[in-house]
Amino acid sequence: MAVDPLIELRGVNKHFGDLHVLRNIDLAVGRGEVVVVIGPSGSGKSTLCRVINRLETIESGTITLDGEPLPEEGKELARLRAEVGMVFQSFNLFAHKTVLANVSLAQIKVRGRKRAEADKRSLELLDRVGLADQAPKFPAQLSGGQQQRVAIARALAMDPKALLFDEPTSALDPEMINEVLEVMRQLAREGMTMVVVTHEMGFARSAANRVVFMADGQIVEDRTPERFFTAPESDRAKDFLSKILKH
């Protein structure tokens, strides 16, 4: 377990109706750690990501961020969301705002920055994800891969303590996937704490410190990529890997 966890879940349970989607989840993510969550569809991976950001509530258990319990709602919750950035499958950019305005908006609204300061920071971050020249455009003028990189810049603009990625490349055409994963690899190299739900096994192998394998709402394995991919212990993981690594 992580010695100094930035994110810690203990005994977390979540139901959707009769479906027990998270079953007694215990997970600690240390500072600067990249934890990749993989598993079959419906295993609870996305829900795990969403409860860390309080986009879903939990029924029992505790979740702490930097030693503090997650706030219930209101201003404190908005602050938490700034500290734990989230990048979704579907980009979620504002269509009627420019790329620059998309990245600056929450800095102004939540962090209270002046527009000039926010725009300066936004341009630095757009440059970092290789899109400084796209700042005046609107999202619809960008490819999916570019839009997702804008979404990453927007999450980084809040100076988060951690970033959550919920299948960030699954809506992208194959040729765009790598440009997004490359930005994520760079963040990993720079020491950003990341929890990444993905089907990209190459990324899991190359960028993760740990691979968490989920099935039926439970964490079945939590190991280094090397050990997980070469010698999975559970039948569920062996079965899962045999299916995906054949392709």
Side-chain angles (χ1 to χ4, degrees), residues 9-211:
L9 289 76
R10 289 200 167 174
V12 168
N13 283 280
K14 169 77 183 170
H15 286 78
F16 289 127
D18 294 337
L19 196 63
H20 198 170
V21 283
L22 294 178
R23 300 169 181 260
N24 292 318
I25 297 286
D26 291 323
L27 178 68
V29 180
R31 280 164 218 287
E33 222 179 2
V34 177
V35 174
V36 170
V37 184
I38 62 175
S41 289
S43 56
K45 310 182 297 288
S46 288
T47 307
L48 176 73
C49 220
R50 292 171 71 86
V51 298
I52 296 172
N53 208 14
R54 283 267 349 193
L55 289 170
E56 298 286 355
T57 53
I58 58 173
E59 281 123 33
S60 62
T62 57
I63 303 178
T64 54
L65 172 71
D66 212 357
E68 302 280 317
L70 293 198
E72 290 298 315
E73 61 232 2
K75 275 214 158 61
E76 288 301 301
L77 187 54
R79 208 195 62 196
L80 162 85
R81 297 228 174 101
E83 306 217 315
V84 185
M86 182 123 180
V87 178
F88 301 89
Q89 186 175 336
S90 54
F91 329 138
N92 293 7
L93 299 174
F94 291 109
H96 61 288
K97 291 189 182 298
T98 63
V99 164
L100 182 65
N102 263 286
V103 181
S104 292
L105 185 67
Q107 296 180 64
I108 297 164
K109 292 260 194 276
V110 181
R111 288 285 193 222
R113 291 179 187 152
K114 297 269 188 290
R115 178 169 294 281
E117 182 195 355
D119 284 352
K120 181 170 179 280
R121 174 86 176 125
S122 297
L123 284 168
E124 285 165 9
L125 289 165
L126 286 167
D127 187 45
R128 189 165 157 190
V129 299
L131 293 172
D133 56 334
Q134 306 294 322
K137 292 190 179 170
F138 288 89
Q141 296 172 282
L142 272 54
S143 71
Q146 289 173 319
Q147 289 186 59
Q148 193 57 294
R149 285 186 283 149
V150 172
I152 294 173
R154 179 181 59 182
L156 288 170
M158 305 302 282
D159 303 316
K161 291 179 178 175
L163 281 181
L164 309 174
F165 292 86
D166 187 8
E167 307 215 6
T169 58
S170 60
L172 299 178
D173 292 335
E175 71 272 17
M176 293 173 193
I177 290 174
N178 216 36
E179 67 191 58
V180 173
L181 293 179
E182 195 38 59
V183 169
M184 292 167 63
R185 284 191 190 100
Q186 186 56 40
L187 291 173
R189 287 192 287 270
E190 290 165 10
M192 173 60 76
T193 307
M194 293 161 52
V195 177
V196 183
V197 174
T198 186
H199 294 288
E200 295 298 325
M201 296 303 136
F203 177 82
R205 281 188 169 200
S206 63
N209 299 102
R210 283 157 55 205
V211 170

